[in-house]
Amino acid sequence: MTHEVGAGELQTKLQLIEATQLLVRQIVADFVHSSVDDFDGCVDAAFARLGAFLDVDRIYAFEVINGALDNTHEWCAGGVSPEIDNLQAVPLEVCSHWFTRFALDEEVFVPDVSALPDDRRAEREVLEPQGIKSLLVVPLRVQSETIGFIGFDAVRAAREFSAIEVGLLRSLADVITSAIIRQRADEQERRAQAQLRAMTRYSADHALLMDADGMVSAASESWSVLGVRRDDLLGRGWLDLVPVESHETVRAMLAAASEGFDDHRRDTIDVATVLEGSGPAWLEIVFHDLPDEPEIGGVVMCVRDVTNRKLAEQDRILAVQTDALTGLGSRAALEAELEAAMHRAAASGSQVGVLFVDVDRFKLINDSHGHATGDLLLAKVGERLQRAVRSGSFVARFGGDEFVVIVEDVTSFAELEALADRLQDSFRTPIDIGGLAITVTASIGIATGDTVSAQAGPLLRDADTAMYRAKDAGRDRYALFDDCAREEVVRRNEVMQRLPLAIEQGLIVPHLQSIVEIETGRVVGAEALARWDDPVIGTVSPDEFIAVAEETGLIVPLGLQMLDQALALAAGWPERFTVSVNLSPVQLSDPDLAVAVADLLRHHDITPSRLYLEVTESSVMSNLDRGIELLHQLRSLGLLLAMDDFGTGFSSLSMLRRLPVDVLKIDRTFVSGDDGKGGKGDPRLVRAVIGLAQEFGMVTLAEGIETEAQRKLLWRQGCKRGQGWLFGRPVTPEEFQRLIRRHDAARA
Ligand code: C2E
Ligand code: CA
Ligand code: CA
């Protein structure tokens, strides 16, 4: 049977369908365009739109939360009571009947609540108090699970719901469930992001994502650990992070990364840099190329701060235990070994002897046959020494052509003299170097140790002194320190007696040695070195009288006197010349030092930054905290600090970081590829020190440059300043004045 419809009725129906479609479109648009956070607002708005369009009394949503039903949204027609507050945590059993239908994705229509059968009494008892006469509910289903429902109530009169009304409720349920699905996915994503952020924030690796031009598009939060603000990285070239010298390496790496690495698509480099927030640092940079992940669109760079590891490595270089050339103990090992032996001797009440062996005229051999031959010869000398000593005795190369033998359980000097004879005999047969027969002799100094203090330094110095005596006496022989000691004591007494007078009468005056720019040889200043020509006891070298002055405490007035004189001289030079003055460790423990220095600076009206004070490593190390404090105090006067004789002390390179010094003076022994005795400095060490100093923002100054070859090498290694006979010996103030005048004329 067909249902006849008139034109007017059809028109109305079409209008209704059109209006319904429009409504659904509006509701869908609301949900699509809203943000996830606005879900509740969208549901309320949809209910309101629907309520205005349909003749229903309530529209609502329930959600299954913790196994019960919560009324989460509600819209009521005018005059209909809201029930949302009464409908929280409603047990599921109340409408278990509905859920059976929902599981089949069917809606539930209750035409007459009061007619609900007894097996649905619980349902009736909940619905009736709300005045509900009939209702329609449809499930909200996500992945075949019912997570809630939405529905219409009829309160004012029982009623049926048209197909259009059912359809609308169904459509709304679809829209709401898809919004919930989106919301859950978003939440999951947000949690994943937060977890990722938390992990990267505390990671030891600092990651960056960048394009082929090095522009940063993403950076992990952990950059802050390095003192780098993440926002500063974004949208910027990350090359700013590394010093200019390293740009080329890093660019090459980046280019290689963009083309794809050969292997594993990753590569690593180490870069030294200074980070704004945290000072000097070594960074290990690992590049990962991710061609299989086009959505990343670039190279991932992971940076790790390896400063501590690097410093430890540098320290190890300092402490290499074996001498590379001879395979004997190194100088560092010698000192440790000697002190250990002295401790053992102190414990057992025995004596330790040291033989200081120096090859005679080695420089001549080096010069006539070349360094390669010289090196081979030293290796053979080492072998012979090792063979000639008792097994178990320790033999070390002290440096250059100097060797040291430690003898334990010494009972008499005669025993050591016998060993010295044996060592000298071992050289009697010529040494064969590639068909060349070379005969060498050696001078040997012998000393025995004061095992109470157990210090390697003084014992080695005594043996060295004795060795020089053997040389002076005509070479190829040995000398005992005891004999030298007697002469020394006499001399020392003279110096001790004359010193106070010499200071009082101003007999000790500064001479000046030029300090130059290694590259150009341009003089930039001078170091003041104390000179004492005494009318009674003759010329006394600073090595003699400084030690005496330190022991007697006279170094405090003497040091200030030197500073006073040096500043007076510098005040007469053009402003651009600096003056360097040595500070004794003893002066560093003078509580009035900083005040006295400040007074002198004021008195001479000299720009403080023209003054460099030179302190030694060991003087600061002996009382580190106080030392550092004092250095800061001095520096706050505006003057600059130089670390003298660097490399001879035992401070670790890592300690350097804490010292507020501007200049690092690399000790002469490390500089000399030729120390007059054919010895060799260690270019590796020099390089390490220069590199490190640069990282710490210090200028390096090499002492004792005597040859053009040394100058070139140091310059290539990045050393900026130099001092030594190549540029000039210490001269009188008058001569220095002339020198700078000539210098200025040449420049003009
Ligand atoms: P220093 O501070 O390391 O001074 C450098 C020493 O190396 C000076 O020895 C200098 O004459 C010498 N020298 C410079 N260039 C060369 C070179 O190319 N080859 C060689 N073989 N030697 C070079 P000097 O003048 O005998 O002073 C010895 C030490 O006495 C100084 O070592 C310093 O520690 C101390 N001294 C000198 N004057 C003073 C002073 O006024 N106060 C204090 N506290 N110590 C001073
Ligand atoms: Ca010095
Ligand atoms: Ca020095």
Side-chain angles (χ1 to χ4, degrees):
M1 190 177 72
T2 52
H3 179 64
E4 294 286 320
V5 287
E9 199 182 338
L10 189 63
Q11 185 69 17
T12 327
K13 251 208 160 108
L14 276 176
Q15 276 172 355
L16 180 65
I17 288 170
E18 234 167 71
T20 312
Q21 277 176 343
L22 182 66
L23 177 75
V24 171
R25 262 213 316 276
Q26 281 172 335
I27 291 175
V28 169
D30 278 355
F31 273 96
V32 169
H33 296 127
S34 75
S35 80
V36 171
D37 301 335
D38 213 23
F39 173 77
D40 290 331
C42 283
V43 174
D44 287 337
F47 282 4
R49 279 187 198 279
L50 214 51
F53 187 75
L54 298 174
D55 179 30
V56 296
D57 296 329
R58 276 197 210 102
I59 310 177
Y60 46 83
F62 277 81
E63 230 180 284
V64 180
I65 292 172
N66 297 331
L69 286 165
D70 282 354
N71 189 181
T72 54
H73 300 83
E74 181 181 51
W75 172 90
C76 297
V80 174
S81 65
E83 293 291 339
I84 190 161
D85 294 338
N86 308 325
L87 295 171
Q88 302 302 322
V90 179
L92 275 177
E93 298 78 63
V94 169
C95 46
S96 57
H97 173 76
W98 300 2
F99 275 76
T100 320
R101 302 280 302 274
F102 290 160
L104 304 169
D105 203 20
E106 290 173 1
E107 70 264 18
V108 173
F109 171 54
V110 181
D112 182 358
V113 170
S114 62
L116 279 169
D118 268 359
D119 61 332
R120 289 169 68 181
R121 209 174 62 212
E123 190 181 322
R124 195 175 65 217
E125 284 169 0
V126 171
L127 298 176
E128 269 185 332
Q130 303 174 52
I132 301 170
K133 305 233 163 42
S134 32
L135 61 78
L136 173 72
V137 285
V138 302
L140 300 173
R141 287 172 59 78
V142 171
Q143 287 169 345
S144 72
E145 182 199 352
T146 303
I147 59 159
F149 55 83
I150 57 176
F152 296 146
D153 282 349
V155 175
R156 288 168 290 195
R159 53 165 292 189
E160 304 258 326
F161 294 93
S162 71
I164 286 183
E165 285 168 324
V166 174
L168 273 174
L169 197 59
R170 278 281 186 175
S171 304
L172 184 58
D174 287 342
V175 172
I176 290 178
T177 47
S178 63
I180 288 175
I181 290 170
R182 188 178 118 198
Q183 196 184 27
R184 288 186 177 182
D186 260 42
E187 212 168 277
Q188 219 162 32
E189 172 67 18
R190 245 183 304 188
R191 197 174 317 127
Q193 288 278 353
Q195 285 167 343
L196 191 66
R197 261 203 311 279
M199 284 188 295
T200 66
R201 184 178 321 138
Y202 301 110
S203 159
D205 283 326
H206 317 289
L208 278 188
L209 188 66
M210 63 194 169
D211 62 17
D213 301 322
M215 280 317 248
V216 177
S217 57
S220 63
E221 306 225 336
S222 59
W223 281 96
S224 60
V225 175
L226 290 182
V228 177
R229 288 192 46 229
R230 183 160 155 265
D231 290 349
D232 287 349
L233 286 170
L234 296 177
R236 204 176 78 164
W238 66 283
L239 272 181
D240 296 2
L241 277 178
V242 288
V244 182
E245 305 89 83
S246 304
H247 280 190
E248 209 174 308
T249 326
V250 167
R251 273 212 198 88
M253 181 69 68
L254 188 56
S258 323
E259 281 166 19
F261 297 118
D262 300 346
D263 206 15
H264 305 308
R265 299 198 297 273
R266 61 169 275 167
D267 215 335
T268 307
I269 52 168
D270 285 352
V271 170
T273 186
V274 177
L275 296 171
E276 265 169 48
S278 57
W282 263 281
L283 303 182
E284 177 188 82
I285 305 183
V286 186
F287 294 89
H288 300 264
D289 185 23
L290 304 173
D292 301 339
E293 293 173 60
E295 67 274 22
I296 302 285
V299 170
V300 173
M301 180 183 105
C302 284
V303 167
R304 176 173 291 197
D305 183 353
V306 292
T307 309
N308 288 336
R309 193 188 76 203
K310 283 280 178 180
L311 288 173
E313 274 169 23
Q314 303 278 17
D315 277 345
R316 270 201 298 281
I317 295 180
L318 261 189
V320 249
Q321 294 298 299
T322 45
D323 172 58
L325 182 61
T326 59
L328 297 173
S330 67
R331 182 166 172 170
L334 166 72
E335 270 155 35
E337 193 62 36
L338 184 52
E339 288 185 358
M342 288 169 111
H343 279 296
R344 282 193 291 273
S348 66
S350 62
Q351 278 278 343
V352 176
V354 162
L355 275 68
F356 206 104
V357 183
D358 187 295
V359 180
D360 293 327
R361 299 188 206 281
F362 182 74
K363 186 171 159 41
L364 220 68
I365 297 169
N366 234 352
D367 290 349
S368 48
H369 301 294
H371 282 281
T373 305
D375 282 356
L376 286 173
L377 183 69
L378 288 175
K380 296 263 173 156
V381 166
E383 272 171 34
R384 290 199 180 183
L385 287 175
Q386 183 75 74
R387 248 183 288 134
V389 300
R390 251 195 331 234
S391 72
S393 291
F394 185 82
V395 184
R397 176 150 169 261
F398 189 71
D401 58 345
E402 297 166 332
F403 296 84
V404 169
V405 180
I406 301 175
V407 189
E408 290 191 60
D409 297 321
V410 178
T411 48
S412 68
F413 262 116
E415 194 185 315
L416 295 173
E417 288 177 281
L419 175 59
D421 276 332
R422 239 182 17 252
L423 296 182
Q424 272 161 339
D425 282 346
S426 75
F427 297 134
R428 301 284 173 234
T429 27
I431 297 174
D432 176 57
I433 309 269
L436 200 69
I438 301 178
T439 305
V440 297
T441 59
S443 302
I444 301 177
I446 303 174
T448 54
D450 158 21
T451 48
V452 180
S453 73
Q455 291 223 313
L459 180 53
L460 289 170
R461 199 179 54 222
D462 290 352
D464 188 34
T465 307
M467 186 275 290
Y468 272 104
R469 233 181 86 86
K471 289 236 176 212
D472 289 346
R475 301 195 178 85
D476 192 16
R477 64 194 67 212
Y478 61 79
L480 300 179
F481 178 70
D482 255 21
D483 302 332
C484 330
R486 233 165 284 127
E487 288 166 28
E488 251 183 21
V489 167
V490 174
R491 170 74 171 173
R492 212 181 157 72
N493 278 336
E494 287 174 351
V495 171
M496 196 105 77
Q497 270 171 11
R498 291 286 303 167
L499 186 61
L501 209 74
I503 295 173
E504 209 179 290
Q505 299 181 347
L507 296 180
I508 302 178
V509 296
H511 278 205
L512 297 159
Q513 183 176 33
S514 300
I515 292 176
V516 306
E517 273 177 6
I518 288 198
E519 185 179 2
T520 58
R522 199 169 75 98
V523 177
V524 295
E527 176 176 0
L529 292 159
R531 292 290 177 267
W532 176 14
D533 276 318
D534 192 87
V536 180
I537 59 170
T539 302
V540 189
S541 89
D543 288 330
E544 289 179 270
F545 70 78
I546 297 289
V548 173
E550 284 173 346
E551 271 163 42
T552 54
L554 284 172
I555 191 71
V556 173
L558 174 60
L560 288 180
Q561 203 180 63
M562 286 294 296
L563 179 61
D564 186 26
Q565 297 185 63
L567 289 177
L569 292 170
W573 305 338
E575 178 79 12
R576 66 190 166 80
F577 292 103
T578 62
V579 67
S580 305
V581 177
N582 292 283
L583 276 191
S584 152
V586 179
Q587 287 178 274
L588 287 185
S589 43
D590 170 14
D592 304 325
L593 178 70
V595 173
V597 172
D599 284 349
L600 285 173
L601 280 169
R602 241 192 324 275
H603 176 73
H604 292 286
D605 189 23
I606 203 160
T607 313
S609 62
R610 292 180 63 202
L611 173 64
Y612 282 89
L613 288 181
E614 299 194 353
V615 294
T616 58
E617 231 178 323
S618 45
S619 63
V620 180
M621 291 305 152
S622 63
N623 183 353
L624 194 63
D625 291 327
R626 166 81 188 113
I628 290 177
E629 189 196 317
L630 179 72
L631 296 187
H632 278 295
Q633 231 176 47
L634 289 171
R635 217 155 166 247
S636 71
L637 300 177
L639 54 81
L640 300 167
L641 293 172
M643 175 66 68
D644 209 353
D645 308 337
F646 187 78
T648 58
F650 294 95
S651 64
S652 65
L653 291 173
S654 37
M655 196 57 91
L656 204 54
R657 255 185 148 181
R658 294 186 53 195
L659 300 181
V661 301
D662 308 278
V663 171
L664 209 62
K665 295 188 79 169
I666 303 171
D667 191 66
R668 185 147 48 90
T669 48
F670 294 101
V671 168
S672 41
D674 181 339
D675 59 6
K677 290 177 255 157
K680 286 206 170 93
D682 188 345
R684 260 183 332 163
L685 189 99
V686 173
R687 213 170 23 244
V689 168
I690 293 173
L692 192 70
Q694 268 169 1
E695 293 331 313
F696 293 163
M698 302 170 186
V699 172
T700 39
L701 189 162
E703 299 183 303
I705 304 179
E706 295 179 358
T707 68
E708 181 57 26
Q710 289 165 2
R711 184 190 76 86
K712 282 224 180 81
L713 179 64
L714 286 161
W715 181 62
R716 272 204 306 276
Q717 289 176 332
C719 186
K720 296 282 183 277
R721 305 246 170 104
Q723 191 179 346
W725 294 346
L726 177 68
F727 311 108
R729 300 211 176 207
V731 296
T732 62
E734 297 73 34
E735 271 177 83
F736 185 73
Q737 183 88 46
R738 276 197 292 280
L739 187 143
I740 57 181
R741 220 174 291 135
R742 273 204 307 277
H743 204 72
D744 268 359
R747 271 164 47 90

